[in-house]
Amino acid sequence: MKAGGTRARARFCALLALALGLALACPLPARAGQGAPASVPATAAAAAITAPPGATPAPPAIPAAPIELWLEVSVNGAATGAVARFTRGAQGLRVDADTLRELGLDPATLGFGEARERDLDAIPGLRYSFDAAAQSISLRLADDLRTPLRLQARNPREVGAGSASPGMLLNYDIYAQPRAGSSAESRASALHELRWFDARGAISSTGVATLHGPGRRYLRHDTSWSWADPVALTSLQVGDLITRSLTWSRSLRIGGIEWRKNFDLRPDLVTYPMTQIAGSAVVPSSVALYVNGMQQFSSTVPDGPFVLDQVAGLNGAGQATVVTRDSLGREVATSVPLYVDTRLLAPGLSDYAAAFGLPRRDYGLRSFSYAARPALTGSLRHGLTDALTVEAHAEAAAGVANAGAGALIRLGHAGVLHGALAASGGGDGSGAQATLGYQYLSPRFSVDVQSTRASSDYADLGTREGVPVNRVNDRITANFSPSAGQSLSASLVAYRLAGHDTARIASLAWSMRLGEGVYLGVNAYQDLGQTSARGVTASLSFSLPGRIGASVGAGRRAGQPSWNLGLNRSADFAGGFGWNVQSATQAGQRYGQGQLQYLGSAGQLGLLVQDGGAGVTAAFNATGALVAMDGAVLPARQVGRAFAMVSAGVADVPVLQENRVIGRTDRHGRLLVPDLVPYAANQLAIDASGLPLDMRVRATNVEIAPRLLSGVVAGFALERVRAASVTVHGADGKPIAIGTPVEVNGGESTIVGHGGMVFVEQAGDDNRLVLRAREGDC
């Protein structure tokens, strides 16, 4: 009850004293000292109240000076564990701003303004109950005065600086085709990636070597050194690289240096604007979030307001539903329409790249061919608001300069409009390019429209290298899904190169799920400039027992019929055989092929046999990797962006990645785990249940965070245990008493068990046991 309830209690005490003829002693409250708060009495009356017969007792006098109270505080029924300072004056209880801050409340939200102290009764939306006997106060605030509980709908992985063990690896893909027929020649080639890595970064070089046959030579593709900072999300690359571009600009191969923001370092990080959904629970409840009918998050909340942050899980239009359920099973569902576009950037987030170097020429034909003069490029994207992302791009080289700007604007729940303008100038004149587009995505209907037009003199760095800009590039795509498992889409594409006529191609596609694992699809296209350039195909795919997939298709293209039949089974991830067979006719030419694959822990082997009408040919393929690290060279499957070498020291131990068996250690106790997430905590473990009884492992699982393009040694400390059971007895031949302390080899301590048994966990060649018996040491 409020302060008025305290005065009513005083009157009640006076009447009770009059009826019983007793005096009620009510000592004055004590002020808090310099140390802990002092105890406070129930009332402020200093003596008994006596009234003449028949008279109405007068209320106790309120002291002129405010009385200081130290009360135990609860907020909305939840104990805070705090004892806070309040004052009691003529108008009731008061509180100051510092006390509210200590209780986790915001004085500004409660309307304090410039005031340092306010009456509790004068704060709108605040109710309280003061228990003078228990020296406690219960505050109850309206939802709009409380700080909402923030819940994260997504839990991104923790990221660290990452680690790398020095090492080298070779990813390879070898292809060999023996001689077939009198005119054919045998040939063999190998595509490779050679990588060196340590804590300072990684050096990577790729190329292809023609080992046998015509044109025998080595052709280098790319060589570069890279370094990344996963905390700042930036990366540096020196060497051969492809410059960053926007949707309305073009990339370029150069040999030089690039500094950029790199969100790829955190694939779990959401860079686009995410929705916040607010709600309130009357009593402690469970909360579940559903996005387009699929549960994304669940948790429990106390009573009061809450906010769900980072609501993701869709691209385009959708609906988020928050369901609160109390202990009695009563549900309240709140739905909120959403529109998410992953191309937008969250407010305040920037994505940028800057590169400088020599443009690459004759890529894939010559190992070292670069322009004589350098080029400079730069791109920037920045999220201004949830609905607006701005873009800019510039590039320059000898004889040409290009710059432009653009924006993406979200139109509420009606889609996203994007556009850009760019201009160029140089020795060949000046030109301009304009891009305008619109996109709307929803589960039922989607449309994507974009048009780019460039003047005849518009140029960029690609134009300088002999690749002209499209003068017209239009695209219209629409998709309609009338029901689950059914989709109908249509598109129109138009483009025109300099000096050529505009080409326009229309296409139509329809697909439908006929049952579990059965799909039917029909595709058709028409070149609007050439009546004869058209085609239509229909295909049916379905699943068979034993993880076998089958497909059958037929169609007609440029007046020629075609058909195909196929069966396939992929190799298990843990290893094993896979195969596929295919027979088809296209443009009057019949061919067939069969392929057999074997996937093992050291790579994959494949055999391909083809019959194209001119004869039967065969080809062999081998892919894998060799890793040199931790003083060993280990064969493995092809290695991706990050990996680990498990070192257990014991052969044939099962190794698990994220609770899934990935393989077994080799005879040296090692296994390479090829595909890990860089900079994230990857869970690796060993199954110790199959270890020999005399082996002990200190920890069966580890968390490792390898750097990008690097590897880490994941060691498991296995040791062989030499144990012994020893029976000890006294001079009388009876077992030593149970519980007698025993010192083993001057260090380890144990006790005597039943029958005088002592278990020695680590036994040496010579062992000394000292029994600390009551009769003395032995």
Side-chain angles (χ1 to χ4, degrees):
M1 54 188 167
K2 297 189 178 182
T6 305
R7 289 190 290 269
R9 175 175 293 188
R11 295 190 187 98
F12 176 78
C13 291
L15 290 175
L16 184 62
L18 180 63
L20 299 179
L22 301 175
L24 296 178
C26 299
L28 286 169
R31 284 190 176 273
Q34 307 234 342
S39 177
V40 185
T43 70
I49 302 174
T50 305
T56 302
I62 303 297
I67 299 175
E68 189 177 62
L69 305 176
W70 289 88
L71 307 177
E72 186 177 359
V73 184
S74 65
V75 178
N76 285 78
T80 63
V83 176
R85 177 185 176 275
F86 294 80
T87 58
R88 181 181 175 187
Q91 302 300 322
L93 293 180
R94 296 174 62 85
V95 65
D96 60 39
D98 292 337
T99 298
L100 292 177
R101 293 189 186 96
E102 293 173 1
L103 297 174
L105 303 177
D106 184 8
T109 305
L110 298 175
F112 266 59
E114 299 297 329
R116 295 286 303 169
E117 194 175 42
R118 288 194 68 182
D119 293 324
L120 293 182
D121 292 304
I123 300 177
L126 172 67
R127 294 182 293 116
Y128 70 94
S129 175
F130 170 50
D131 189 339
Q135 293 293 280
S136 66
I137 186 171
S138 174
L139 305 178
R140 182 159 293 276
L141 291 86
D143 285 350
D144 57 347
L145 298 182
R146 300 178 63 181
T147 301
L149 174 67
R150 306 198 78 86
L151 302 173
Q152 300 296 324
R154 298 182 68 258
N155 293 313
R157 291 192 177 197
E158 293 185 3
V159 65
S163 58
S165 303
M168 179 181 294
L169 74 84
L170 173 67
N171 280 322
Y172 62 84
D173 188 343
I174 301 174
Y175 176 86
Q177 183 176 353
R179 181 175 180 177
S182 57
S183 60
E185 294 187 41
S186 59
R187 53 182 177 175
S189 61
L191 183 68
H192 80 83
E193 179 201 8
L194 184 62
R195 193 188 305 170
W196 163 262
F197 49 86
D198 61 12
R200 295 166 294 181
I203 300 175
S204 174
S205 182
T206 61
V208 60
T210 303
L211 306 175
H212 182 72
R216 183 165 28 179
R217 64 167 181 165
Y218 175 77
L219 180 64
R220 187 188 68 89
H221 287 166
D222 297 292
T223 304
S224 65
W225 170 81
S226 59
W227 175 88
D229 183 349
V231 178
L233 292 174
T234 56
S235 65
L236 175 66
Q237 187 173 354
V238 180
D240 296 309
L241 55 94
I242 301 175
T243 63
R244 295 282 297 275
S245 64
L246 304 177
T247 56
W248 43 272
S249 65
R250 298 195 297 177
S251 298
L252 185 72
R253 287 187 179 272
I254 68 169
I257 182 171
E258 182 187 57
W259 174 261
R260 68 184 180 102
K261 195 77 171 181
N262 193 349
F263 294 119
D264 294 337
L265 299 175
R266 292 281 308 276
D268 62 313
L269 189 66
V270 176
T271 60
Y272 51 85
M274 289 181 291
T275 302
Q276 292 183 347
I277 300 179
S280 179
V282 179
V283 296
S285 307
S286 64
V287 174
L289 170 67
Y290 296 84
V291 177
N292 284 351
M294 298 184 63
Q295 183 172 324
Q296 302 286 337
F297 172 80
S298 64
S299 181
T300 57
V301 296
D303 66 304
F306 60 86
V307 173
L308 273 171
D309 273 337
Q310 297 188 337
V311 177
L314 78 159
N315 185 23
Q319 181 173 274
T321 302
V322 177
V323 179
T324 57
R325 182 183 295 109
D326 63 18
S327 59
L328 298 179
R330 293 173 295 191
E331 290 187 357
V332 176
T334 304
S335 295
V336 178
L338 303 177
Y339 193 88
V340 176
D341 194 312
T342 57
R343 299 172 300 170
L344 294 169
L345 285 178
L349 198 62
S350 296
D351 186 10
Y352 55 83
F356 177 79
L358 301 175
R360 185 82 181 265
R361 294 175 175 174
D362 299 325
Y363 183 81
L365 299 176
R366 299 168 62 185
S367 295
F368 296 94
S369 179
Y370 298 90
R373 295 183 178 181
L376 174 67
T377 71
S379 298
L380 172 66
R381 303 181 70 240
H382 181 74
L384 288 178
T385 67
D386 284 339
L388 177 61
T389 296
V390 294
E391 302 176 330
H393 176 80
E395 53 189 47
V400 63
N402 183 298
L408 289 90
I409 305 172
R410 190 180 67 194
L411 307 175
H413 298 286
V416 172
L417 182 70
H418 65 277
L421 290 174
S424 67
D428 296 332
S430 59
Q433 175 185 271
T435 299
L436 184 63
Y438 169 78
Q439 185 182 86
Y440 173 80
L441 304 176
S442 73
R444 283 295 185 90
F445 175 74
S446 301
V447 62
D448 185 9
V449 180
Q450 179 171 306
S451 178
T452 301
R453 303 297 173 98
S455 65
S456 58
D457 293 329
Y458 179 77
D460 60 6
L461 294 181
T463 306
R464 179 175 175 268
E465 296 302 316
V467 183
V469 176
N470 286 354
R471 302 309 174 192
V472 174
N473 195 342
D474 299 336
R475 180 186 73 244
I476 303 176
T477 302
N479 184 81
F480 176 60
S481 300
S483 62
Q486 189 173 180
S487 175
L488 176 65
S489 63
S491 67
L492 176 63
V493 177
Y495 63 92
R496 176 167 58 88
L497 298 175
H500 294 78
D501 294 333
T502 302
R504 295 180 177 86
I505 300 175
S507 63
L508 186 68
W510 173 76
S511 63
M512 182 176 184
R513 182 166 62 90
L514 301 179
E516 188 66 30
V518 182
Y519 297 89
L520 175 65
V522 179
N523 294 270
Y525 74 93
Q526 172 70 62
D527 188 333
L528 301 182
Q530 302 182 41
T531 306
S532 60
R534 60 187 176 188
V536 60
T537 59
S539 62
L540 179 67
S541 61
F542 47 93
S543 301
L544 298 175
R547 295 177 55 246
I548 297 175
S551 64
V552 57
R556 193 173 186 85
R557 181 176 181 180
Q560 296 288 335
S562 63
W563 59 267
N564 67 81
L565 298 171
L567 288 172
N568 69 86
R569 185 187 188 279
S570 59
D572 295 332
F573 181 80
F577 285 97
W579 52 266
N580 72 73
V581 292
Q582 185 177 5
S583 178
T585 297
Q586 188 170 354
Q589 183 71 30
R590 182 175 179 179
Y591 73 94
Q593 73 173 27
Q595 188 174 17
L596 180 65
Q597 298 173 334
Y598 175 76
L599 179 63
S601 60
Q604 179 175 285
L605 299 174
L607 170 63
L608 175 66
V609 178
Q610 292 180 314
D611 181 7
V616 178
T617 59
F620 301 93
N621 175 258
T623 63
L626 293 174
V627 178
M629 196 167 62
D630 193 32
V633 177
L634 200 66
R637 301 178 186 178
Q638 284 203 339
V639 174
R641 289 155 38 97
F643 67 96
M645 178 182 284
V646 173
S647 179
V650 178
D652 203 37
V653 176
V655 178
L656 294 84
Q657 177 188 358
E658 306 294 345
N659 299 320
R660 181 180 62 176
V661 176
I662 191 71
R664 291 176 175 269
T665 56
D666 61 12
R667 60 191 181 93
H668 299 293
R670 292 187 174 93
L671 176 71
L672 193 130
V673 183
D675 295 308
L676 300 181
V677 180
Y679 305 109
N682 296 268
Q683 297 279 348
L684 296 179
I686 61 173
D687 184 359
S689 61
L691 293 176
L693 296 179
D694 61 347
M695 297 298 300
R696 183 175 65 179
V697 58
R698 298 186 184 276
T700 59
N701 61 81
V702 295
E703 283 188 356
I704 60 170
R707 295 183 63 88
L708 181 66
L709 301 178
S710 303
V712 177
V713 176
F716 290 89
L718 292 170
E719 57 185 1
R720 193 168 297 277
V721 178
R722 300 180 65 188
S725 296
V726 181
T727 302
V728 292
H729 52 79
D732 57 0
K734 295 181 179 180
I736 297 297
I738 296 176
T740 301
V742 181
E743 183 183 276
V744 180
N745 293 328
E748 182 182 355
S749 298
T750 184
I751 60 173
V752 177
H754 290 280
M757 186 71 70
V758 178
F759 179 73
V760 181
E761 187 173 359
Q762 290 289 352
D765 294 334
D766 296 306
N767 302 277
R768 175 181 175 85
L769 275 64
V770 178
L771 278 68
R772 309 292 187 183
R774 289 193 300 271
E775 297 81 3
D777 294 348
C778 175

